[in-house]
């Protein structure tokens, strides 16, 4: 999959518009001729915000910039939400592109990285909560909502993810992601995980991945 930096996201469908960055390939190469290398401090922010991939079920991509025979592989995408309302999507390989190939993301994205703070509750969070709690909504959207909602450290996210953990169909196919989200929310002090026994093995697996034990 190769898209131009800054183009509207079209890799798959998503509940709201996103901007593509770092979807590199052979046709357009690094797409960053003439731009400055990404500063170490900016790369640190990028790594911190690249903590949890979504859309991991779609299969593995190989880096098309590596020499033949040494292809680096990645699976899924990172989504970056900023307080100005923008959402960027990059393949998980964006970190590899920066570190090993000298890729430099476009300036508007780097500016967003530098300004990024804890996300304020907004319409995107509302939309994701609505999707997560709506049994008739697109199932993939609901699974991706589980993954992205903990970007907002908010009690409304706790309620929504707890409700999702009780939704049998969701917990059957996305229980690990629900567990990871519960783990992240517990780790940030927003909830207690006293009643682990109430969860399915799949959900507990995700919780343990985050919290250990
Ligand atoms: Zn590579």
């Amino acid at each position: 999959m190769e898209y131009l930096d800054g183009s509207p996201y079209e890799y798959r469908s998503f509940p709201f518009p996103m901007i593509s960055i770092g979807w590199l390939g052979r046709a357009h190469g690094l797409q960053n001729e003439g731009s400055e290398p990404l500063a170490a401090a900016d790369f640190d922010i990028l790594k911190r915000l690249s903590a949890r991939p979504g859309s991991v079920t779609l299969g593995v991509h190989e880096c098309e910039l590596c020499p033949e025979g040494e292809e680096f592989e990645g699976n899924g995408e990172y989504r970056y939400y900023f307080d100005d309302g923008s959402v960027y999507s990059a393949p998980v390989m964006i970190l590899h592109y920066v570190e090993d190939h000298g890729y430099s993301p476009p300036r508007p994205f780097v500016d967003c990285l530098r300004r990024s703070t804890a996300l304020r509750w907004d319409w995107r969070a509302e939309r994701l909560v609505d999707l997560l709690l709506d049994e008739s909504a697109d199932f993939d959207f609901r699974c991706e909502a589980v993954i992205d909602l903990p970007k907002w450290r908010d009690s409304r996210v706790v309620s929504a993810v707890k409700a999702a953990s009780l939704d049998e169909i969701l917990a059957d196919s996305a229980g690990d992601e629900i567990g990871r989200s519960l783990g992240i929310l517990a780790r940030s002090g927003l909830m207690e995980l006293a009643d682990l026994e109430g969860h399915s093995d799949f959900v507990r697996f995700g919780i343990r991945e985050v919290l250990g034990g």
Side-chain angles (χ1 to χ4, degrees):
M1 293 310 144
E2 183 170 7
Y3 303 105
L4 286 175
D5 275 353
S7 63
Y9 175 84
E10 53 185 64
Y11 176 48
R12 64 182 306 209
S13 55
F14 199 72
F16 34 76
M18 297 196 283
I19 303 165
S20 297
I21 53 158
W23 294 87
L24 307 183
R26 287 194 190 92
H28 300 288
L30 287 172
Q31 301 191 32
N32 64 353
E33 269 87 301
S35 60
E36 291 171 27
L38 189 66
D42 296 332
F43 189 42
D44 285 343
I45 304 170
L46 180 65
K47 280 190 281 193
R48 182 164 51 76
L49 296 182
S50 305
R52 187 175 181 193
S55 305
V56 291
T57 52
L58 295 173
V60 167
H61 296 266
E62 282 187 356
C63 176
E64 296 182 4
L65 307 176
C66 277
E68 197 120 355
E70 315 179 358
E71 285 90 353
F72 188 93
E73 288 181 345
N75 186 357
E77 66 186 2
Y78 291 124
R79 294 187 285 262
Y80 309 94
Y81 291 71
F82 298 110
D83 260 336
D84 66 357
S86 59
V87 188
Y88 287 82
S89 160
V92 294
M93 283 193 297
I94 188 172
L95 301 179
H96 164 72
Y97 294 145
V98 171
E99 256 188 321
D100 298 325
H101 295 293
Y103 169 65
S104 185
R107 183 67 200 219
F109 176 74
V110 176
D111 288 342
C112 284
L113 284 181
R114 290 177 182 168
R115 286 195 301 261
S116 65
T117 51
L119 276 178
R120 287 187 298 266
W121 193 258
D122 63 11
W123 69 273
R124 297 170 299 180
E126 292 280 357
R127 173 99 176 99
L128 292 174
V129 165
D130 287 348
L131 283 168
L132 183 54
L133 300 180
D134 180 358
E135 286 177 22
S136 66
D138 181 286
F139 193 71
D140 287 339
F141 284 0
R142 300 180 73 203
C143 295
E144 300 304 319
V146 169
I147 294 170
D148 285 2
L149 272 171
K151 294 177 190 296
W152 285 270
R153 301 293 158 86
D154 190 288
S155 59
R156 285 164 282 192
V157 172
V158 174
S159 309
V161 176
K162 276 185 174 169
S165 73
L166 302 174
D167 180 315
E168 275 184 31
I169 297 171
L170 258 186
D172 265 358
S173 33
D176 55 338
E177 297 293 5
I178 291 171
R180 286 185 195 103
S181 290
L182 291 172
I184 288 167
L185 295 165
R187 195 177 56 193
S188 55
L190 282 166
M191 60 177 286
E192 304 277 342
L193 275 178
D195 52 350
L196 253 191
E197 294 310 311
H199 296 298
S200 70
D201 289 349
F202 203 18
V203 172
R204 283 189 300 207
F205 166 81
I207 293 172
R208 290 208 181 90
E209 270 209 346
V210 173
L211 298 180

